[in-house]
Every structure is written in structure tokens, then in C-alpha cells.
Amino acid sequence: MENRMELIIAATSLNESFARATVGAFTAQLDPDIETLSDIKTAVSEAVTNAIVHGYDSDNEKDVVLKCAISDGTVTITVEDGGKGMSDPEKCQEDGFTTAADDERSGFGYTIMKSLMDEVTVVSEVGRGTVVTMKKKIR
Amino acid sequence: MKINTEQRNGALVVHFKGEIDHSVTLEAREQLDELIDRGGFDYMVIDLRDISFMDSAGIGLIMGRYKKLRLDKKLLYLRNVTPPVDKILKISGLYKLVNVI
């Protein structure tokens, strides 16, 4: 079975729950167990929150683009923003790293994404934005 | 997310209900900090039984309250941690700071 969908949401934290619920509903066609579904929703929440908070500084005039594709029992999720980008994406993926310490961001977003998904890649360019691609084999 | 509190035998028990993500943490942080500043308890317990979702925003919220309580020499405990939340707590290493009772 192959399938795909695309979702464009305003960069407001109110859309975090909508984004993860939508990806969860789309992924449900592969009949994942509850734990797998929870892992995917959590990883999506982290990536979308990063796009909103770090990419766009919560500017709800901007768009976050979420793409999901299912192929060979694997779901591939892409979260794209055209925001600030990162000069050193590797550094941003270290445990406890955050540029928003005052906001009490824990700095574990990427650690959680990498722990819960099979594969996470980050492509980012300063001034151009960030694309996070995550994969998880379901069956 | 909703927050209910009760005081019992020196403990301020805080009961979270709903989903914890970045959209709710600012308000939750203000509510909890007001309770901490008001005082009148020896330690805080956060009950997570009715949390249906939590991401790293919840880790930041819990870690921030742990640090604030520590300034008053008070401890923070967690209670009724559900399996998905337990997974996030383990990944983040929060159990090194906060115990479950």
C-alpha cells in the first residue's frame, strides 16, 4: 500500500496537537500498536514545535509544511519551515541543547525524536529554514 | 490541560489532566509558580495519571519546577506515571533528578 498527504499549518503552538493527531490518524491505516502511534505523535510534536518556536519565533503568519508518505509499511514524515535555520544542526541535536533557555525548553526535542523514530535527518540553512525527515517501520 | 491541587500531610499534590505540549506550558508554569511562591507545604507531588500526551515541553515544565523548588530546599516527586510518559522521562534522564512515589 502506498499513500501520502500534505498539511500546511500556521506557525502557532495551538496547531501542535492538530498536527500530531492528523499524522496519527493518517498512520493508523498501517494499524500500528498504541506504543508506536504514541512514539510517532510525540516525534511529530517535537519537530512541529521546533519549527514554530525556533524556526519562526511563533510568528503565526508563517507556514509549517507537514508531509507524510506510506510505502512498504514505513511511514516517512517531513516537517519543513522556511524560518531562521541553524548554522550548526549537529550541535542543535545534542542532549540539553536549547537556544530558548528562558522559555524553559528542555533541549531534548531531537533526542526524543531520534529515540522514538528509526531514522531522523535534519537539513538546515541559516535564513532558509529547516527540513526534518523522520522514518518509522510499522510493518 | 487542567490543573487541580490538594494539600495533604505536608504535600502539595498537583493533578494534571489532558495533554502537555508547548501550547500549555506557559500557563501551567505560571499557575505552579504561584502555588510554589505561596508556600505552606513541605514537598510537591505531580500526579500524571490523567495525562494523555506529553512531549519535551512537559520535561521542561517539570525540570523548571524542580529547580524552583530546590531554591526553597523542597523536593519534587512524580506519581502515577503512564507508560508513554515514562518513556519520555527515561529518554530525557529526568529520573536522575526527580523520584517517583
Short mmCIF file of all heavy atoms in Angstrom, two decimals, chain A residues 13-14 16-17 20 35 38-39 41-42 45-46 49 53 58 102-106 108-109 111-112 115-116, chain B residues 19-23 25-26 29 33 53-57 59-61 63-65 84 87-88 91-93:
data_model
loop_
_atom_site.label_atom_id
_atom_site.label_comp_id
_atom_site.label_asym_id
_atom_site.label_seq_id
_atom_site.Cartn_x
_atom_site.Cartn_y
_atom_site.Cartn_z
N SER A 13 1.45 27.51 18.28
CA SER A 13 1.52 26.29 19.10
C SER A 13 0.16 25.61 19.25
O SER A 13 0.08 24.43 19.58
CB SER A 13 2.15 26.57 20.46
OG SER A 13 1.36 27.47 21.18
N LEU A 14 -0.92 26.37 18.96
CA LEU A 14 -2.25 25.76 19.00
C LEU A 14 -2.37 24.63 17.97
O LEU A 14 -3.19 23.73 18.12
CB LEU A 14 -3.32 26.81 18.69
CG LEU A 14 -3.51 27.91 19.72
CD1 LEU A 14 -4.46 28.97 19.20
CD2 LEU A 14 -4.05 27.32 21.03
N GLU A 16 -0.02 22.41 17.27
CA GLU A 16 0.82 21.25 17.59
C GLU A 16 -0.03 19.99 17.77
O GLU A 16 0.27 18.94 17.23
CB GLU A 16 1.65 21.52 18.85
CG GLU A 16 2.74 22.57 18.61
CD GLU A 16 3.29 23.17 19.90
OE1 GLU A 16 3.01 22.63 21.00
OE2 GLU A 16 3.97 24.20 19.81
N SER A 17 -1.12 20.12 18.55
CA SER A 17 -1.95 18.94 18.81
C SER A 17 -2.68 18.51 17.53
O SER A 17 -2.84 17.32 17.26
CB SER A 17 -2.94 19.19 19.94
OG SER A 17 -3.82 20.22 19.61
N ARG A 20 -0.08 16.53 15.29
CA ARG A 20 0.23 15.16 15.71
C ARG A 20 -0.98 14.24 15.59
O ARG A 20 -0.86 13.07 15.25
CB ARG A 20 0.85 15.12 17.11
CG ARG A 20 -0.01 15.60 18.24
CD ARG A 20 0.70 15.51 19.59
NE ARG A 20 -0.14 16.04 20.64
CZ ARG A 20 -0.04 17.26 21.17
NH1 ARG A 20 0.91 18.08 20.79
NH2 ARG A 20 -0.87 17.65 22.11
N GLU A 35 1.74 1.92 21.33
CA GLU A 35 3.06 2.48 21.66
C GLU A 35 3.70 3.14 20.43
O GLU A 35 4.24 4.25 20.51
CB GLU A 35 3.98 1.39 22.22
CG GLU A 35 5.30 1.95 22.69
CD GLU A 35 6.21 0.89 23.29
OE1 GLU A 35 5.82 -0.29 23.35
OE2 GLU A 35 7.33 1.26 23.70
N SER A 38 1.96 6.36 19.63
CA SER A 38 2.34 7.38 20.60
C SER A 38 3.75 7.92 20.28
O SER A 38 3.99 9.14 20.36
CB SER A 38 2.30 6.77 22.00
OG SER A 38 2.85 7.63 22.93
N ASP A 39 4.66 7.02 19.89
CA ASP A 39 6.03 7.44 19.52
C ASP A 39 6.00 8.42 18.34
O ASP A 39 6.67 9.45 18.35
CB ASP A 39 6.88 6.22 19.11
CG ASP A 39 7.22 5.33 20.28
OD1 ASP A 39 6.95 5.72 21.43
OD2 ASP A 39 7.75 4.22 20.05
N LYS A 41 3.45 10.28 17.24
CA LYS A 41 2.81 11.55 17.60
C LYS A 41 3.76 12.44 18.42
O LYS A 41 3.79 13.66 18.23
CB LYS A 41 1.51 11.28 18.38
CG LYS A 41 0.41 10.76 17.47
CD LYS A 41 -0.74 10.17 18.24
CE LYS A 41 -1.73 11.19 18.69
NZ LYS A 41 -2.94 10.56 19.28
N THR A 42 4.53 11.82 19.29
CA THR A 42 5.46 12.60 20.12
C THR A 42 6.57 13.20 19.25
O THR A 42 6.91 14.38 19.38
CB THR A 42 6.08 11.72 21.23
OG1 THR A 42 5.02 11.10 21.96
CG2 THR A 42 6.93 12.54 22.18
N SER A 45 5.22 16.06 17.28
CA SER A 45 5.01 17.21 18.15
C SER A 45 6.33 17.96 18.37
O SER A 45 6.38 19.19 18.35
CB SER A 45 4.44 16.73 19.49
OG SER A 45 3.89 17.78 20.20
N GLU A 46 7.41 17.21 18.56
CA GLU A 46 8.74 17.83 18.76
C GLU A 46 9.17 18.61 17.52
O GLU A 46 9.63 19.75 17.62
CB GLU A 46 9.80 16.77 19.08
CG GLU A 46 9.57 15.95 20.33
CD GLU A 46 9.63 16.77 21.61
OE1 GLU A 46 10.03 17.95 21.58
OE2 GLU A 46 9.23 16.23 22.66
N THR A 49 6.92 21.67 16.93
CA THR A 49 7.19 22.70 17.94
C THR A 49 8.51 23.42 17.61
O THR A 49 8.59 24.65 17.71
CB THR A 49 7.27 22.08 19.35
OG1 THR A 49 6.03 21.44 19.62
CG2 THR A 49 7.50 23.15 20.41
N VAL A 53 8.61 27.34 17.19
CA VAL A 53 9.30 28.12 18.23
C VAL A 53 10.67 28.61 17.76
O VAL A 53 11.00 29.79 17.92
CB VAL A 53 9.45 27.28 19.52
CG1 VAL A 53 10.24 28.04 20.58
CG2 VAL A 53 8.09 26.90 20.06
N SER A 58 7.40 31.71 16.72
CA SER A 58 5.95 31.69 16.92
C SER A 58 5.22 32.78 16.14
O SER A 58 4.21 33.32 16.61
CB SER A 58 5.61 31.80 18.42
OG SER A 58 6.21 30.75 19.13
N ASP A 102 15.28 30.68 28.33
CA ASP A 102 14.34 31.46 29.14
C ASP A 102 12.93 30.91 29.04
O ASP A 102 12.10 31.11 29.89
CB ASP A 102 14.33 32.92 28.67
CG ASP A 102 15.65 33.59 28.95
OD1 ASP A 102 16.43 33.02 29.72
OD2 ASP A 102 15.90 34.66 28.37
N ASP A 103 12.68 30.21 27.95
CA ASP A 103 11.35 29.68 27.69
C ASP A 103 11.18 28.29 28.32
O ASP A 103 10.16 27.63 28.13
CB ASP A 103 11.15 29.62 26.17
CG ASP A 103 9.70 29.38 25.78
OD1 ASP A 103 8.83 29.82 26.54
OD2 ASP A 103 9.46 28.73 24.76
N GLU A 104 12.21 27.85 29.04
CA GLU A 104 12.19 26.52 29.67
C GLU A 104 12.02 25.40 28.66
O GLU A 104 11.37 24.40 28.95
CB GLU A 104 11.11 26.43 30.75
CG GLU A 104 11.51 27.12 32.03
CD GLU A 104 10.60 26.78 33.20
OE1 GLU A 104 9.59 26.09 33.02
OE2 GLU A 104 10.94 27.19 34.31
N ARG A 105 12.56 25.55 27.48
CA ARG A 105 12.60 24.42 26.56
C ARG A 105 13.63 23.46 27.13
O ARG A 105 14.69 23.88 27.58
CB ARG A 105 13.00 24.86 25.14
CG ARG A 105 12.08 25.90 24.55
CD ARG A 105 10.76 25.32 24.04
NE ARG A 105 11.02 24.36 22.99
CZ ARG A 105 10.35 23.23 22.85
NH1 ARG A 105 9.40 22.91 23.70
NH2 ARG A 105 10.63 22.40 21.87
N SER A 106 13.34 22.18 27.10
CA SER A 106 14.22 21.25 27.81
C SER A 106 15.49 20.93 27.03
O SER A 106 16.49 20.51 27.59
CB SER A 106 13.48 19.94 28.09
OG SER A 106 13.21 19.26 26.89
N PHE A 108 15.62 18.58 24.75
CA PHE A 108 15.62 17.14 24.47
C PHE A 108 14.77 16.76 23.26
O PHE A 108 14.49 15.60 23.04
CB PHE A 108 15.18 16.35 25.71
CG PHE A 108 16.25 16.27 26.74
CD1 PHE A 108 16.28 17.13 27.81
CD2 PHE A 108 17.28 15.34 26.60
CE1 PHE A 108 17.29 17.08 28.74
CE2 PHE A 108 18.30 15.29 27.53
CZ PHE A 108 18.31 16.15 28.60
N GLY A 109 14.34 17.77 22.50
CA GLY A 109 13.47 17.51 21.35
C GLY A 109 14.08 16.53 20.36
O GLY A 109 13.46 15.53 20.00
N THR A 111 16.69 14.56 20.81
CA THR A 111 16.99 13.29 21.49
C THR A 111 15.75 12.40 21.48
O THR A 111 15.83 11.20 21.21
CB THR A 111 17.42 13.56 22.95
OG1 THR A 111 18.46 14.52 22.94
CG2 THR A 111 17.90 12.30 23.62
N ILE A 112 14.60 13.01 21.77
CA ILE A 112 13.35 12.26 21.80
C ILE A 112 12.98 11.78 20.39
O ILE A 112 12.66 10.60 20.20
CB ILE A 112 12.23 13.12 22.44
CG1 ILE A 112 12.49 13.24 23.95
CG2 ILE A 112 10.84 12.54 22.16
CD1 ILE A 112 11.61 14.22 24.68
N SER A 115 15.21 8.90 19.48
CA SER A 115 14.94 7.70 20.28
C SER A 115 13.67 6.99 19.83
O SER A 115 13.58 5.77 19.91
CB SER A 115 14.78 8.06 21.76
OG SER A 115 15.95 8.65 22.23
N LEU A 116 12.68 7.76 19.38
CA LEU A 116 11.38 7.19 19.08
C LEU A 116 11.21 6.75 17.63
O LEU A 116 10.38 5.91 17.32
CB LEU A 116 10.26 8.18 19.44
CG LEU A 116 10.21 8.64 20.91
CD1 LEU A 116 9.04 9.61 21.11
CD2 LEU A 116 10.07 7.46 21.86
N GLU B 19 -3.36 17.10 27.82
CA GLU B 19 -2.13 16.96 27.04
C GLU B 19 -1.14 18.06 27.43
O GLU B 19 -1.53 19.22 27.59
CB GLU B 19 -2.44 17.09 25.54
CG GLU B 19 -3.37 15.99 25.02
CD GLU B 19 -3.48 15.99 23.50
OE1 GLU B 19 -3.47 17.09 22.89
OE2 GLU B 19 -3.58 14.92 22.92
N ILE B 20 0.13 17.68 27.56
CA ILE B 20 1.16 18.68 27.86
C ILE B 20 2.04 18.85 26.63
O ILE B 20 2.81 17.96 26.27
CB ILE B 20 2.05 18.29 29.06
CG1 ILE B 20 1.20 17.96 30.29
CG2 ILE B 20 3.03 19.42 29.39
CD1 ILE B 20 2.02 17.57 31.52
N ASP B 21 1.90 20.01 25.97
CA ASP B 21 2.84 20.38 24.92
C ASP B 21 3.17 21.85 25.10
O ASP B 21 2.75 22.48 26.08
CB ASP B 21 2.31 20.03 23.51
CG ASP B 21 1.06 20.82 23.13
OD1 ASP B 21 0.74 21.82 23.81
OD2 ASP B 21 0.39 20.44 22.17
N HIS B 22 3.89 22.41 24.13
CA HIS B 22 4.35 23.79 24.26
C HIS B 22 3.20 24.80 24.36
O HIS B 22 3.35 25.88 24.93
CB HIS B 22 5.24 24.10 23.03
CG HIS B 22 5.73 25.50 23.00
ND1 HIS B 22 5.21 26.44 22.13
CD2 HIS B 22 6.66 26.13 23.73
CE1 HIS B 22 5.82 27.59 22.35
NE2 HIS B 22 6.71 27.43 23.30
N SER B 23 2.02 24.43 23.85
CA SER B 23 0.89 25.38 23.86
C SER B 23 0.32 25.62 25.25
O SER B 23 -0.39 26.59 25.47
CB SER B 23 -0.22 24.91 22.91
OG SER B 23 -0.83 23.74 23.42
N THR B 25 2.32 25.05 28.32
CA THR B 25 3.30 25.08 29.41
C THR B 25 3.45 26.46 30.06
O THR B 25 3.70 26.54 31.26
CB THR B 25 4.68 24.57 28.97
OG1 THR B 25 5.03 25.17 27.73
CG2 THR B 25 4.70 23.08 28.84
N LEU B 26 3.28 27.54 29.29
CA LEU B 26 3.46 28.87 29.89
C LEU B 26 2.42 29.10 31.00
O LEU B 26 2.74 29.52 32.11
CB LEU B 26 3.39 29.96 28.82
CG LEU B 26 3.55 31.39 29.35
CD1 LEU B 26 4.93 31.56 30.00
CD2 LEU B 26 3.36 32.42 28.26
N ARG B 29 3.06 26.79 33.95
CA ARG B 29 4.23 27.27 34.71
C ARG B 29 3.83 28.41 35.65
O ARG B 29 4.22 28.44 36.80
CB ARG B 29 5.24 27.74 33.66
CG ARG B 29 6.47 28.40 34.13
CD ARG B 29 7.26 28.67 32.85
NE ARG B 29 8.19 29.74 32.98
CZ ARG B 29 8.90 30.21 31.95
NH1 ARG B 29 8.78 29.69 30.76
NH2 ARG B 29 9.76 31.19 32.13
N ASP B 33 4.03 28.12 39.64
CA ASP B 33 4.96 29.02 40.35
C ASP B 33 4.24 29.86 41.40
O ASP B 33 4.80 30.16 42.46
CB ASP B 33 5.72 29.90 39.34
CG ASP B 33 6.79 29.11 38.61
OD1 ASP B 33 6.99 27.93 38.95
OD2 ASP B 33 7.43 29.67 37.70
N PHE B 53 -0.99 12.82 26.83
CA PHE B 53 0.14 13.05 25.92
C PHE B 53 1.12 14.01 26.60
O PHE B 53 0.72 14.96 27.26
CB PHE B 53 -0.35 13.69 24.60
CG PHE B 53 0.77 14.07 23.68
CD1 PHE B 53 1.32 13.13 22.81
CD2 PHE B 53 1.33 15.34 23.72
CE1 PHE B 53 2.38 13.46 21.99
CE2 PHE B 53 2.40 15.68 22.90
CZ PHE B 53 2.92 14.73 22.04
N MET B 54 2.41 13.73 26.42
CA MET B 54 3.42 14.68 26.90
C MET B 54 4.65 14.61 26.01
O MET B 54 5.13 13.52 25.71
CB MET B 54 3.81 14.37 28.35
CG MET B 54 4.72 15.44 28.95
SD MET B 54 5.06 15.15 30.70
CE MET B 54 6.73 14.53 30.60
N ASP B 55 5.15 15.76 25.59
CA ASP B 55 6.41 15.78 24.84
C ASP B 55 7.47 16.52 25.66
O ASP B 55 7.29 16.72 26.87
CB ASP B 55 6.22 16.36 23.43
CG ASP B 55 5.79 17.81 23.43
OD1 ASP B 55 5.89 18.47 24.49
OD2 ASP B 55 5.38 18.31 22.37
N SER B 56 8.55 16.96 25.03
CA SER B 56 9.65 17.54 25.80
C SER B 56 9.26 18.86 26.49
O SER B 56 9.95 19.30 27.41
CB SER B 56 10.88 17.75 24.92
OG SER B 56 10.66 18.77 23.98
N ALA B 57 8.15 19.48 26.06
CA ALA B 57 7.68 20.68 26.75
C ALA B 57 7.33 20.34 28.20
O ALA B 57 7.55 21.14 29.12
CB ALA B 57 6.46 21.25 26.04
N ILE B 59 8.81 17.96 29.91
CA ILE B 59 10.10 17.78 30.59
C ILE B 59 10.61 19.13 31.09
O ILE B 59 11.05 19.27 32.23
CB ILE B 59 11.15 17.15 29.64
CG1 ILE B 59 10.68 15.80 29.11
CG2 ILE B 59 12.52 17.04 30.30
CD1 ILE B 59 10.49 14.73 30.15
N GLY B 60 10.51 20.14 30.21
CA GLY B 60 10.95 21.50 30.59
C GLY B 60 10.13 22.04 31.75
O GLY B 60 10.68 22.65 32.67
N LEU B 61 8.82 21.76 31.72
CA LEU B 61 7.93 22.24 32.78
C LEU B 61 8.30 21.59 34.12
O LEU B 61 8.41 22.27 35.15
CB LEU B 61 6.48 21.91 32.42
CG LEU B 61 5.41 22.30 33.43
CD1 LEU B 61 5.26 23.81 33.51
CD2 LEU B 61 4.05 21.67 33.07
N MET B 63 11.18 20.06 34.91
CA MET B 63 12.54 20.42 35.29
C MET B 63 12.60 21.83 35.89
O MET B 63 13.30 22.07 36.88
CB MET B 63 13.43 20.36 34.04
CG MET B 63 14.84 19.88 34.29
SD MET B 63 15.80 19.97 32.78
CE MET B 63 15.52 18.37 32.10
N GLY B 64 11.84 22.74 35.31
CA GLY B 64 11.80 24.12 35.81
C GLY B 64 11.24 24.20 37.22
O GLY B 64 11.75 24.94 38.07
N ARG B 65 10.19 23.40 37.50
CA ARG B 65 9.61 23.42 38.85
C ARG B 65 10.55 22.76 39.86
O ARG B 65 10.64 23.17 41.00
CB ARG B 65 8.25 22.69 38.88
CG ARG B 65 7.24 23.15 37.85
CD ARG B 65 6.78 24.59 37.92
NE ARG B 65 7.71 25.66 37.70
CZ ARG B 65 8.22 26.03 36.52
NH1 ARG B 65 7.98 25.36 35.43
NH2 ARG B 65 9.03 27.07 36.44
N PRO B 84 3.64 5.87 28.21
CA PRO B 84 4.24 6.80 27.23
C PRO B 84 5.03 7.94 27.89
O PRO B 84 6.06 8.36 27.38
CB PRO B 84 3.04 7.35 26.46
CG PRO B 84 1.82 6.76 27.03
CD PRO B 84 2.17 5.81 28.11
N LYS B 87 8.41 6.70 29.16
CA LYS B 87 9.40 6.59 28.07
C LYS B 87 10.12 7.93 27.85
O LYS B 87 11.34 7.99 27.73
CB LYS B 87 8.64 6.18 26.80
CG LYS B 87 9.50 5.52 25.76
CD LYS B 87 8.59 4.90 24.70
CE LYS B 87 9.37 4.19 23.65
NZ LYS B 87 8.51 3.56 22.66
N ILE B 88 9.35 9.01 27.84
CA ILE B 88 9.91 10.36 27.63
C ILE B 88 10.79 10.75 28.81
O ILE B 88 11.87 11.35 28.64
CB ILE B 88 8.76 11.40 27.44
CG1 ILE B 88 7.88 11.03 26.26
CG2 ILE B 88 9.31 12.81 27.28
CD1 ILE B 88 8.58 11.01 24.94
N ILE B 91 14.12 8.84 28.50
CA ILE B 91 14.97 9.37 27.42
C ILE B 91 15.66 10.66 27.87
O ILE B 91 16.84 10.87 27.59
CB ILE B 91 14.13 9.63 26.14
CG1 ILE B 91 13.63 8.32 25.54
CG2 ILE B 91 14.95 10.40 25.10
CD1 ILE B 91 12.57 8.49 24.45
N SER B 92 14.91 11.50 28.58
CA SER B 92 15.46 12.81 28.97
C SER B 92 16.35 12.74 30.21
O SER B 92 17.02 13.72 30.53
CB SER B 92 14.31 13.78 29.23
OG SER B 92 13.59 13.35 30.36
N GLY B 93 16.33 11.61 30.90
CA GLY B 93 17.16 11.48 32.11
C GLY B 93 16.58 12.19 33.33
O GLY B 93 17.28 12.43 34.31
#
